[in-house]
Amino acid sequence: MVTLLENDSVRVFSATFKVGYSSPLHAHALPHATYVASGGTLQLRPSGGGVDTLYLKTGTAYWGKVESHIADNIGTTESVVVSVDLKPLVPRKPPEE
């Protein structure tokens, strides 16, 4: 995972899943949108059990839920995604003129 941008509002990162790669158990603690830069087939194994298979198509985007999981690249191609975590809005006082 590579962080591309982070500020008070968002965290943008890219993740590359090489063929056969299994991520460690990790948490997505914030709602996030994900863009598929290079498609492939991933299996998500949520910490609560079960398996979700994602057939990621290049150029598409999806909404990711808050969860903990392991991600396995079970396909035959490397997959690359770019995710944007949406941080809670913090009210700010407008600048004085």
Side-chain angles (χ1 to χ4, degrees):
M1 182 184 79
V2 176
T3 299
L4 303 171
L5 168 72
E6 185 160 12
N7 59 32
D8 292 342
S9 301
V10 298
R11 179 173 71 113
V12 180
F13 64 92
S14 68
T16 300
F17 299 89
K18 296 189 181 296
V19 175
Y21 173 77
S22 290
S23 75
L25 178 64
H26 61 280
H28 292 271
L30 297 167
H32 57 283
T34 298
Y35 173 77
V36 180
S38 180
T41 305
L42 299 182
Q43 251 184 7
L44 301 183
R45 295 185 281 143
S47 59
V51 174
D52 295 317
T53 301
L54 303 177
Y55 301 97
L56 303 175
K57 183 178 174 187
T58 300
T60 61
Y62 65 93
W63 185 250
K65 58 187 174 184
V66 173
E67 71 175 351
S68 296
H69 61 231
I70 293 169
D72 305 309
N73 183 342
I74 63 167
T76 58
T77 60
E78 178 176 277
S79 183
V80 179
V81 298
V82 177
S83 290
V84 180
D85 287 346
L86 304 175
K87 295 182 178 182
L89 292 176
V90 176
R92 296 182 189 157
K93 184 177 176 182
E96 294 184 27
E97 294 183 25

